[in-house]
């Protein structure tokens, strides 16, 4: 069974600053995907960024980037130039490629990020 | 393009009443469909998933059931709601062989 742990229930950052959200996971799988999802106050789940485990290069999407450390089973999200609209709950998620056609994601418990003006 | 519709957005039901939440996907065929529940201030718990019509897998024993009467329709039901069924319910889908999960807008269920 896979587990995803987000040890920071809440974080805050000043507008325009950089913040890093932590995520660790436990799995015996070798091939998998990792994701960060964002859930703003509207509660709509939005995919922020995706990382394939077989890729050594860290994924980047505009102001969002990850630090993927496969050996350490760590997958942190860095948000640069934080904006007020980044205020949301952020979820780390994992999916093993061996799950066949079902593609079941396992989610962490979330980190509530507040961007302060 | 693919879209996912989930309704109603909010629902208030008395204990012991039945429940039916509906989710439909447009613009794709044979999607994998999922029901998640999110308790207040917590993460997402997978309740049911389906890889095809009539095929339902349950992750958590509970008071709820799911059905997939059509390829792109997924229904979450209960015959008698409990207080503990309150929460935010999210429908989601992925394409066959895809790892990206797309979510509906959710249903906030309050059981009183």
């Amino acid at each position: 069974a896979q587990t995803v742990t987000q040890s920071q229930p809440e974080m805050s950052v000043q507008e325009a600053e950089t913040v890093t959200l932590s995520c660790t996971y436990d799995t015996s799988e070798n091939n998998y995907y990792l994701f960060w999802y964002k859930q703003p106050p509207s509660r709509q789940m939005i995919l922020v960024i995706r990382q394939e485990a077989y890729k050594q290069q860290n994924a980047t999407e505009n102001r969002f980037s990850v630090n993927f450390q496969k050996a350490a089973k760590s997958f942190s999200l860095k948000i640069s130039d934080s904006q007020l609209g980044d205020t949301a709950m952020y979820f780390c998620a994992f999916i093993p490629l061996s799950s066949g056609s079902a593609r079941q994601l396992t989610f962490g418990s979330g980190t509530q990020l507040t961007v302060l003006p | 393009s693919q879209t996912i519709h989930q309704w109603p957005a909010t629902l208030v039901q008395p204990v012991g009443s039945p429940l039916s939440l509906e989710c439909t996907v447009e613009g794709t065929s044979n999607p994998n469909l999922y029901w998640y529940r999110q308790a207040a201030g917590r993460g997402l718990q997978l309740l049911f998933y389906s890889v095809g019509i009539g095929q339902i897998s349950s992750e958590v024993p509970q008071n709820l059931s799911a059905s997939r009467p059509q390829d792109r329709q997924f229904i979450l039901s209960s015959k008698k709601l409990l207080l503990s069924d309150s929460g935010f319910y999210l429908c989601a889908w992925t394409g066959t062989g895809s790892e990206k999960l797309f979510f509906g807008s959710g249903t906030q269920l309050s059981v009183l």
Side-chain angles (χ1 to χ4, degrees), chain A residues 31-95:
Chain A
N31 295 317
Y32 48 88
Y33 286 94
L34 292 160
F35 305 84
W36 279 98
Y37 279 87
K38 166 184 176 180
Q39 188 179 40
S42 68
R43 306 195 77 174
Q44 177 71 51
M45 291 287 286
I46 302 166
L47 177 61
V48 175
I49 199 166
R50 176 187 70 170
Q51 174 78 43
E52 294 92 336
Y54 59 86
K55 289 187 177 180
Q56 293 186 342
Q57 185 174 6
N58 288 324
T60 299
E61 289 286 342
N62 300 314
R63 296 183 296 106
F64 298 88
S65 61
V66 299
N67 183 5
F68 173 48
Q69 301 290 330
K70 189 172 183 180
K73 296 180 181 175
S74 171
F75 183 60
S76 60
L77 174 69
K78 185 172 81 171
I79 305 174
S80 304
D81 186 26
S82 297
Q83 301 175 0
L84 296 178
D86 295 333
T87 292
M89 180 74 85
Y90 287 81
F91 292 97
C92 179
F94 167 99
I95 186 169

Side-chain angles (χ1 to χ4, degrees), chain A residues 33 35 37 39 42-47 50 89 91 95 97 101-110, chain B residues 32 34 36 38 41-44 46 49 51 59 88 90 94 97-105 108:
Chain A
Y33 286 94
F35 305 84
Y37 279 87
Q39 188 179 40
S42 68
R43 306 195 77 174
Q44 177 71 51
M45 291 287 286
I46 302 166
L47 177 61
R50 176 187 70 170
M89 180 74 85
F91 292 97
I95 186 169
L97 292 183
S101 60
R103 300 296 187 213
Q104 302 171 57
L105 265 71
T106 300
F107 286 85
S109 56
Chain B
N32 296 326
Y34 307 81
Y36 283 87
Q38 184 179 26
R42 300 183 67 179
L44 277 72
L46 179 63
Y49 67 91
V51 300
E59 288 295 300
F88 189 63
L90 284 159
T94 64
S98 172
E99 74 293 341
K100 288 186 180 180
L101 195 65
F102 298 96
F103 288 86
S105 54
Q108 179 62 53

Side-chain angles (χ1 to χ4, degrees), chain B residues 22-87:
Chain B
E22 190 163 341
C23 172
T24 60
V25 180
E26 296 179 357
T28 188
S29 59
N30 197 32
N32 296 326
L33 297 169
Y34 307 81
W35 279 111
Y36 283 87
R37 177 169 60 196
Q38 184 179 26
R42 300 183 67 179
L44 277 72
Q45 178 187 40
L46 179 63
L47 301 176
F48 300 96
Y49 67 91
S50 171
V51 300
I53 296 174
Q55 300 179 60
I56 308 295
S57 296
S58 174
E59 288 295 300
V60 182
Q62 60 216 330
N63 184 44
L64 303 170
S65 62
S67 62
R68 185 169 177 175
Q70 300 180 43
D71 181 45
R72 290 169 290 178
Q73 183 185 31
F74 205 26
I75 298 172
L76 183 68
S77 304
S78 174
K79 292 182 179 178
K80 289 185 177 182
L81 284 169
L82 306 173
L83 289 174
S84 58
D85 292 325
S86 293

